[in-house]
Amino acid sequence: MNQYQNHLPTSGKKTPPFASGKETQLLRVIQKALFTGALASIGHIGILLEAVNAGPPPAVGSAAQLAPTLEDSPKAIVDEVWQIVNRDYVDGDFNKVDWQAVRTDLLSRDYSSPAAAYAAVREALSKLDDPYTRFLDPEQYQTLTSKTAGELSGVGIKLGVNENQRLVVVEPIENSPAAAAQLEAGDEIVAIDDRLTTGMKVEEASKLIRGPLGTSVKLRISRMGQEEFDVNLTRARIEVAAVHYSLKEEGATKVGYIQLDEFSSHAPEQMLRAIGDLSAKGAQAFVLDLRGNPGGLLYASVEIAKMWLDGGTIVSTVDRQGDSIEFKAEPQPGIAFAPPVFKMPLAVLVDGNSASASEILAGALKDNARATIIGTQTFGKALVQSVHGLSDGSGLAVTIAHYYTPNGTDISHKGITPDITINPNSALTPQTVATKDDPWYVTAINNLRAQITPAPLANTDN
């Protein structure tokens, strides 16, 4: 991996939000930027969303200026990618690669198909030695933008195959047409629009169930103890729950437990609802669980941090020119989302798969002495990406900045060090999370109780 900015430059300019000129453009890019999570360890494509697709006029010799020579040619995509990296990539030395020579080589080739161009682009990007700067084919791009938007289109069913090789509902997604129709985990799907599902694979069934918004699909359901019945579901846009919460009574202490899966566009509003609901139910303290959270949108992590902080820096970002932006907890003019500040005791749970935007939030809460961080060392990703949609529906994720915690700490490849380290003896299961068999949670409860319970008064008797 090439080295980016290793420290906050002393000449770095602190740029207040809503500044002018170049600073405003940089801020807009960063505000809509994203963080991708622990790709290698989590084993799935990172959480990304389109950031800023508008930019300066086409560079000299760009695909736009070479039209119609490159128009409708695979070379257009090749040059779009090169131009974006040339303009925005965080490392102005391009990992000591002659980036102009790369362009000459790319445009000297003939590409027989988009796939050939995609392969050449990926080969060129690999020279940067940056796993987070990468090309996304149209299907990957659509998947990733939908993921971080926090929304799905469809009927909201997770499909699987049971031990009898029957197509079944694994789980209806919360707030979906399937949930509204009261479909249940374990329901067998006998037919889709009168087409029998015997021997059908999950992928094929998914294609049949998908369709345009507002259209319907008929499922024939077999449920134990009942006769088969039909359910008509109308395909809709579904807001995916990124926040799950419950009020737990730990002895005499009421604890609000909040699990945040990812920093999607809907995460801040869902978090605000969770905190408000738990507070109304009498929560005296909170546990925020960021374990396994690979990251997401920058603005989502900043807005959630504001819910717990009444001042101080949340994060600083630095681009390749050394320009720096500080995101602060103080309310800013023009920002519509201004949540109340919650000051109850807070413990944050982290692990090795808490990455990127999770580390932004944990670092802000730790450096501002607002919460106790409990768990294992976090992943250690301190880079910001933006994602650009390309002209043929594909996309490009490109690293545009490095970030630092409020104390100026570079956590790249190191992660956040917890205030209290946990050395678990066994792996957790979904059934043991946030129970007496969860050492992270038990440690958090003990820590919060100590904050809530006043220390006994000293004996002043003579």
Side-chain angles (χ1 to χ4, degrees):
M1 169 69 76
N2 57 321
Q3 295 300 312
Y4 307 112
Q5 306 280 352
N6 291 319
H7 58 278
L8 276 170
T10 55
S11 60
K13 189 163 39 179
K14 297 299 181 185
T15 308
F18 311 106
S20 60
K22 179 180 182 297
E23 296 174 348
T24 300
Q25 182 182 15
L26 176 62
L27 179 70
R28 286 172 179 164
V29 172
I30 294 295
Q31 279 185 315
K32 291 186 177 180
L34 49 91
F35 297 97
T36 179
L39 300 184
S41 60
I42 295 176
H44 63 72
I45 296 173
I47 297 178
L48 305 172
L49 183 65
E50 182 176 4
V52 172
N53 213 13
V60 174
S62 70
Q65 288 198 347
L66 291 174
T69 305
L70 297 182
E71 188 175 1
D72 298 324
S73 162
K75 282 188 180 180
I77 296 301
V78 170
D79 201 52
E80 280 183 67
V81 169
W82 185 92
Q83 295 287 352
I84 293 169
V85 173
N86 187 60
R87 184 185 70 222
D88 295 340
Y89 189 57
V90 68
D91 177 11
D93 291 330
F94 302 99
N95 195 31
K96 303 189 184 306
V97 171
D98 186 339
W99 198 240
Q100 293 290 336
V102 169
R103 179 173 187 267
T104 301
D105 174 55
L106 288 172
L107 295 185
S108 69
R109 305 184 195 180
D110 291 324
Y111 302 102
S112 58
S113 65
Y118 295 171
V121 164
R122 290 188 170 110
E123 177 189 352
L125 294 177
S126 70
K127 299 177 188 297
L128 299 174
D129 196 20
D130 175 3
Y132 304 107
T133 294
R134 57 206 178 87
F135 177 80
L136 308 166
D137 64 35
E139 184 176 353
Q140 291 173 323
Y141 178 68
Q142 179 60 43
T143 298
L144 296 181
T145 53
S146 297
K147 176 72 172 174
T148 310
E151 295 180 349
L152 298 174
S153 298
V155 299
I157 297 176
K158 294 181 181 179
L159 297 177
V161 176
N162 65 14
E163 63 276 7
N164 297 320
Q165 300 304 302
R166 303 276 189 175
L167 189 70
V168 296
V169 175
V170 174
E171 180 186 17
I173 295 174
E174 188 178 346
N175 302 320
S176 70
Q182 299 183 335
L183 291 185
E184 300 176 0
D187 284 347
E188 292 186 6
I189 301 176
V190 178
I192 302 171
D193 283 336
D194 296 324
R195 179 175 172 181
L196 295 178
T197 61
T198 304
M200 188 178 290
K201 295 185 180 300
V202 169
E203 294 78 10
E204 183 181 0
S206 296
K207 290 180 180 178
L208 292 175
I209 293 174
R210 294 193 195 106
L213 291 176
T215 61
S216 64
V217 60
K218 182 174 70 172
L219 304 181
R220 178 161 296 173
I221 302 297
S222 174
R223 182 178 295 170
M224 186 176 295
Q226 299 184 29
E227 294 185 1
E228 291 183 1
F229 58 95
D230 290 339
V231 175
N232 288 297
L233 300 174
T234 301
R235 300 176 178 100
R237 194 171 300 281
I238 305 161
E239 180 181 323
V240 179
V243 175
H244 313 275
Y245 65 95
S246 60
L247 184 69
K248 295 180 175 289
E249 297 199 11
E250 302 294 345
T253 305
K254 291 184 177 181
V255 176
Y257 172 75
I258 304 175
Q259 188 176 43
L260 178 59
D261 295 338
E262 60 192 13
F263 291 83
S264 69
S265 62
H266 290 291
E269 62 197 68
Q270 293 177 9
M271 179 65 70
L272 186 60
R273 286 198 300 266
I275 298 173
D277 188 30
L278 291 169
S279 297
K281 292 178 179 177
Q284 300 165 274
F286 287 88
V287 174
L288 177 57
D289 195 341
L290 299 180
R291 290 176 293 181
N293 185 324
L297 293 172
L298 168 58
Y299 90 86
S301 65
V302 169
E303 294 304 329
I304 290 173
K306 288 179 181 178
M307 298 177 195
W308 304 101
L309 295 170
D310 58 2
T313 299
I314 296 171
V315 66
S316 299
T317 61
V318 182
D319 69 3
R320 80 181 185 194
Q321 283 80 31
D323 291 316
S324 175
I325 295 175
E326 268 191 358
F327 291 85
K328 291 183 172 291
E330 287 83 356
Q332 299 290 344
I335 294 180
F337 185 77
V341 175
F342 297 87
K343 297 185 177 182
M344 297 180 193
L346 173 65
V348 178
L349 311 185
V350 296
D351 64 10
N353 286 331
S354 302
S356 207
S358 290
E359 293 171 300
I360 289 288
L361 179 55
L365 296 174
K366 178 180 179 178
D367 285 4
N368 285 287
R370 175 62 185 87
T372 304
I373 312 301
I374 297 170
T376 59
Q377 203 80 7
T378 61
F379 183 77
K381 180 181 175 293
L383 302 175
V384 185
Q385 283 75 46
S386 65
V387 175
H388 300 257
L390 304 177
S391 59
D392 72 340
S394 59
L396 174 69
V398 58
T399 300
I400 60 172
H402 200 118
Y403 77 77
Y404 301 84
T405 71
N407 288 346
T409 304
D410 177 5
I411 66 164
S412 185
H413 306 295
K414 296 179 290 188
I416 301 289
T417 300
D419 297 307
I420 302 175
T421 300
I422 299 296
N423 296 305
N425 295 322
S426 59
L428 293 174
T429 67
Q431 292 72 34
T432 57
V433 168
T435 70
K436 62 181 178 58
D437 296 317
D438 181 346
W440 279 265
Y441 179 75
V442 171
T443 303
I445 295 302
N446 291 336
N447 179 269
L448 293 172
R449 279 177 175 158
Q451 296 181 55
I452 295 169
T453 305
L457 296 174
N459 189 346
T460 57
D461 294 340
N462 293 323

